[in-house]
Amino acid sequence: MAASDRDDRESTLAILSRLWGVLSPYKARVIGVALLISFSAALEAAGPQFVRYAFDVVIPGGRSTLFLWFGLAFAGFYLFRAIVEYGGMYWSFALTQQVVSDVRMQAYDHLLTLPVSRFSNEQSGSLSSRVVSDPNALKGMIQAAASRLSGQLVAILVVAGLLVWMNWKLALVNLVVLPLLAFVTYYYQEPLRTASRSIRETVARLTATSTEAISNIRVVKAFVGEEQERERFGTHNQRYVDINLDRRKDVGKMEGLINITSNYGTGALLLVGGWMVVSGSLSLGELTAFIMYQRQLQGPVQSVMFFNDKLQAGMAALERLSELVDTDPETGGDREEVPVGPVELEDVRFSYPDADEPALRDLSLRIEPGETAALVGSSGAGKSTVANLIGRFWDPQEGRVTVDGIDLRSFELQALREHVALVPQDPTLFSGTVADNIRYAEPDAPDEAVRHAAEMANAHGFIQQLVDGYDTQIGERGVRLSGGQKQRVAIARAILTDARILLLDEATSDLDSESEAVIQDALDGLFARGDQLTSIVIAHRLSTIENADTIYVLEDGRLVEQGPHDELLAEGGRYAELWALQRRDADRSARPNPAEPPVVTSAPVDGSSSTRS
Ligand SMILES: Nc1ncnc2c1ncn2[C@@H]1O[C@H](COP(=O)(O)OP(=O)(O)OP(=O)(O)O)[C@@H](O)[C@H]1O
């Protein structure tokens, strides 16, 4: 018990120090807002004094001028108070929005600097919730801490002081009610917090279940999984209703107890105070003011009791944010000049985190500048991993990856990446126009350059036929492009950069042979860009890399063969085997052109066929 109390205290201290970390850049504004809100709260305490004055002085006096002055003072005071309250509310809101927006921006900035490994070990939905919704959850905590708390404390102190000043004996009656109110609020704090947590978790499960079904809707339908999905969603949906009902019961009980306690408190004031009025030791105005103050105190007392709850809720969000912001960003070296030279892997050994087996084992290969190198091999052989290391998306644990003999780790990251262009396996495009997508890496590229790149990528023809040509919006709110069209836009995007190293990951794997021919032309356009472009192509259709300068055959993370197509065929090794497999499957398939090799994605090392055509 004592240990858990200490843990609570330590965690509250940790929360406060983190909260201070978030708020310290805004010190002056926090103090300003707190003063304004405290001032507004102190003004509120003057209200019952007007009533007391009216009952005890103005009404018994019966003079019209006094009524007039009293009316003017009353109206002026409440106008002033409304202005102060508006100012406090607005500045507190503006401050909170500013802090949350800055925190969100910092988190997003940091997110973009994280290494690829950080993105591969957390679902993208969860990562984006860290930068979008978690900062929102800070709002309650910042508002509670930065502004409200000070106002509420001032209200409690000022009102309590006034009560004692007016009549300390009657003030004692209040002192019995207030701790009772505080106790009721405190008693329900934990169950309500637990319920809120469960509600958030259930909402997250509801969202995850529906998102999964929606994004896999074709699989759901193909395997008649609707009923199963309905049941999964229904279970969470029912749980959501149940927890909300339970929570509502607790809230109802708490509100009921608070009402009873404060009404009994008013009753006690009426009885004790009424007796004092009868005995002449208290005026009627004072009693009325006392009752008003008792009502005024309830809000601040409950807010102060709920302060810890707000802190805990905000802390959960702050912890998730800190986990992200405390992750080390990718780091590069100082070299800004990336020379033209061979790209080499020297005795590279690489394992993905938590993987049992290394993905690459003592792999060495050298690609001369201007060459087109092809990586082939079974599924899981390590082809994409080689591309990942050359793009420095990951670093090897042993050995080096170099350009012109210089370790990639010594180059400034941005400088290195400006020299590497990527056409990924699934070339997802960004929302915006076709032209925006082509000039993604070169936002200032003139229209002619964009068009030229599209022509080289064999994309100009279809782009011209779109509704608005290069200005056609694509993505969610625009046209949908076919897989082949997307790839050609992605190739145009790569052509437009002046990258010296091109990584082409399985760009032709999902295309029919007609589209493949079109893409092949696009790639020829790209390879023809100049002798400085070193291309590394991962292609599953061996026909697409027949003309590559060197073909590297990987198996199980090792290089097993290398050389040009004809040489490798003549050698009769693993490449020849893959080639023969493709021919055999092509002959078996009912294709009009059996000479066209099918896609080899997963020919296992044992030689059994697992090709897809
Ligand atoms: N992010 C990752 N985390 C853990 N293991 C991974 C990761 N990516 C790949 N691997 C593993 O590393 C090995 C090499 O994978 P890689 O993607 O390089 O193969 P590949 O030859 O490109 O395969 P494919 O042709 O199927 O794309 C495989 O065993 C794979 O399961």
Side-chain angles (χ1 to χ4, degrees):
M1 184 70 194
S4 102
D5 275 358
R6 200 173 51 242
D7 285 351
D8 275 359
R9 261 203 313 279
E10 275 169 13
S11 83
T12 307
L13 278 179
I15 298 167
L16 289 175
S17 88
R18 275 188 188 261
L19 181 63
W20 175 245
V22 171
L23 289 179
S24 59
Y26 312 86
K27 255 182 283 191
R29 282 174 67 186
V30 171
I31 293 171
V33 167
L35 285 177
L36 201 57
I37 290 200
S38 305
F39 183 49
S40 167
L43 285 181
E44 196 179 349
Q49 294 301 328
F50 274 101
V51 177
R52 184 180 78 123
Y53 191 72
F55 277 175
D56 291 350
V57 180
V58 182
I59 299 170
R63 280 184 292 129
S64 57
T65 47
L66 194 55
F67 265 87
L68 181 67
W69 281 117
F70 180 79
L72 284 176
F74 191 88
F77 172 78
Y78 276 103
L79 180 65
F80 177 66
R81 205 195 134 223
I83 293 170
V84 172
E85 196 172 14
Y86 176 82
M89 183 272 295
Y90 181 79
W91 288 112
S92 148
F93 187 77
L95 172 72
T96 310
Q97 291 296 327
Q98 183 67 55
V99 176
V100 169
S101 148
D102 288 356
V103 167
R104 190 183 289 128
M105 207 59 228
Q106 282 164 14
Y108 190 65
D109 266 358
H110 192 79
L111 179 85
L112 295 178
T113 68
L114 297 182
V116 172
S117 53
R118 183 65 185 77
F119 292 80
S120 74
N121 59 20
E122 184 172 342
Q123 285 182 316
S124 52
S126 171
L127 266 178
S128 31
S129 85
R130 284 183 197 257
V131 293
V132 180
S133 41
D134 287 344
N136 280 347
L138 289 179
K139 269 188 206 156
M141 172 165 87
I142 293 169
Q143 250 166 10
S147 49
R148 299 249 173 87
L149 184 67
S150 56
Q152 313 291 9
L153 283 175
V154 167
I156 292 173
L157 288 177
V158 171
V159 171
L162 277 170
L163 289 179
V164 173
W165 169 71
M166 281 166 62
N167 189 315
W168 68 267
K169 285 183 201 145
L170 203 53
L172 280 180
V173 178
N174 257 316
L175 288 184
V176 179
V177 175
L178 287 183
L180 278 176
L181 278 181
F183 175 75
V184 172
T185 316
Y186 176 77
Y187 181 80
Y188 280 101
Q189 186 172 293
E190 185 54 38
L192 290 182
R193 185 162 61 215
T194 311
S196 301
R197 219 178 278 144
S198 310
I199 289 172
R200 279 202 298 274
E201 280 165 17
T202 314
V203 169
R205 283 198 198 112
L206 269 173
T207 320
T209 311
S210 56
T211 314
E212 203 173 78
I214 293 166
S215 53
N216 293 313
I217 193 68
R218 283 191 302 170
V219 178
V220 172
K221 285 183 183 291
F223 289 94
V224 200
E226 288 93 338
E227 189 51 35
Q228 197 178 324
E229 292 302 325
R230 208 186 143 277
E231 271 174 25
R232 284 207 304 158
F233 190 81
T235 312
H236 299 311
N237 197 25
Q238 187 54 45
R239 174 147 172 77
Y240 182 73
V241 173
D242 294 343
I243 309 173
N244 266 293
L245 279 178
D246 285 348
R247 183 175 188 276
R248 194 57 228 173
K249 275 190 216 155
D250 279 344
V251 171
K253 283 185 215 156
M254 183 182 80
E255 284 174 352
L257 280 171
I258 285 174
N259 274 336
I260 288 180
T261 312
S262 69
N263 285 328
Y264 281 7
T266 310
L269 274 183
L270 275 174
L271 289 178
V272 180
W275 188 251
M276 286 176 162
V277 172
V278 171
S279 64
S281 60
L282 191 76
S283 72
L284 200 58
E286 280 173 327
L287 177 60
T288 316
F290 245 96
I291 291 169
M292 289 176 80
Y293 280 131
Q294 194 238 3
R295 296 273 157 183
Q296 258 187 23
L297 268 181
Q298 276 174 34
V301 169
Q302 280 170 39
S303 293
V304 171
M305 293 317 295
F306 270 112
F307 176 63
N308 190 35
D309 185 36
K310 288 254 183 326
L311 271 188
Q312 298 290 348
M315 183 57 189
L318 205 54
E319 265 169 11
R320 276 171 57 83
L321 271 168
S322 308
E323 256 168 44
L324 182 79
V325 177
D326 294 346
T327 310
D328 290 335
E330 300 183 276
T331 47
D334 304 327
R335 273 176 186 269
E336 290 179 12
E337 282 301 310
V338 182
V340 180
V343 175
E344 252 181 296
L345 270 73
E346 300 170 8
D347 299 320
V348 163
R349 194 175 178 85
F350 174 79
S351 302
Y352 287 101
D354 305 325
D356 297 333
E357 292 285 314
L360 300 179
R361 306 155 198 258
D362 308 319
L363 183 70
S364 295
L365 55 87
R366 177 186 166 99
I367 305 162
E368 295 301 330
E371 251 191 23
T372 296
L375 301 175
V376 302
S378 320
S379 180
K383 305 178 293 288
S384 302
T385 306
V386 170
N388 280 337
L389 296 187
I390 295 174
R392 246 215 96 191
F393 303 120
W394 297 87
D395 287 324
Q397 284 94 16
E398 283 174 36
R400 312 193 299 159
V401 185
T402 61
V403 175
D404 202 26
I406 303 165
D407 196 321
L408 292 192
R409 284 173 280 215
S410 51
F411 294 112
E412 213 242 315
L413 263 177
Q414 212 169 334
L416 175 72
R417 300 247 168 90
E418 272 167 12
H419 286 91
V420 179
L422 174 73
V423 179
Q425 189 168 16
D426 172 22
T428 313
L429 301 180
F430 295 93
S431 54
T433 65
V434 176
D436 291 342
N437 269 283
I438 296 178
R439 51 161 73 96
Y440 185 75
E442 307 283 332
D444 300 326
D447 290 347
E448 307 84 70
V450 170
R451 188 191 154 120
H452 180 65
E455 277 168 355
M456 286 177 78
N458 223 341
H460 179 67
F462 89 79
I463 295 174
Q464 264 190 325
Q465 283 166 12
L466 296 173
V467 210
D468 294 318
Y470 282 85
D471 294 327
T472 307
Q473 291 285 337
I474 45 180
E476 299 242 313
R477 280 179 292 138
V479 298
R480 301 223 166 250
L481 300 184
S482 72
Q485 289 170 332
K486 278 193 204 165
Q487 282 184 340
R488 281 179 275 162
V489 172
I491 292 171
R493 176 168 65 192
I495 291 178
L496 192 61
T497 66
D498 51 6
R500 300 208 201 106
I501 299 169
L502 171 75
L503 302 171
L504 219 116
D505 194 355
E506 305 184 301
T508 61
S509 64
D510 286 331
L511 302 174
D512 57 36
S513 22
E514 191 187 318
S515 309
E516 190 201 320
V518 175
I519 297 283
Q520 195 56 52
D521 278 355
L523 294 181
D524 290 345
L526 182 55
F527 300 150
R529 215 196 59 185
D531 60 357
Q532 296 214 319
L533 183 71
T534 307
S535 311
I536 295 124
V537 185
I538 303 168
H540 289 142
R541 284 175 197 267
L542 299 189
S543 62
T544 59
I545 42 94
E546 223 175 307
N547 296 326
D549 297 303
T550 313
I551 298 168
Y552 297 90
V553 186
L554 301 183
E555 285 309 338
D556 208 13
R558 290 193 178 88
L559 181 65
V560 291
E561 276 168 30
Q562 75 178 77
H565 173 78
D566 293 340
E567 252 177 45
L568 291 180
L569 271 193
E571 269 175 27
R574 178 67 182 144
Y575 181 77
E577 194 183 342
L578 288 171
W579 183 261
L581 272 171
Q582 290 202 345
R583 293 297 296 248
R584 197 188 64 194
D585 282 358
D587 289 344
R588 275 193 197 152
S589 74
R591 281 166 170 254
N593 175 12
E596 182 66 60
V599 180
V600 172
T601 55
S602 51
V605 189
D606 64 13
S608 66
S609 164
S610 65
T611 58
R612 66 180 142 100
S613 52

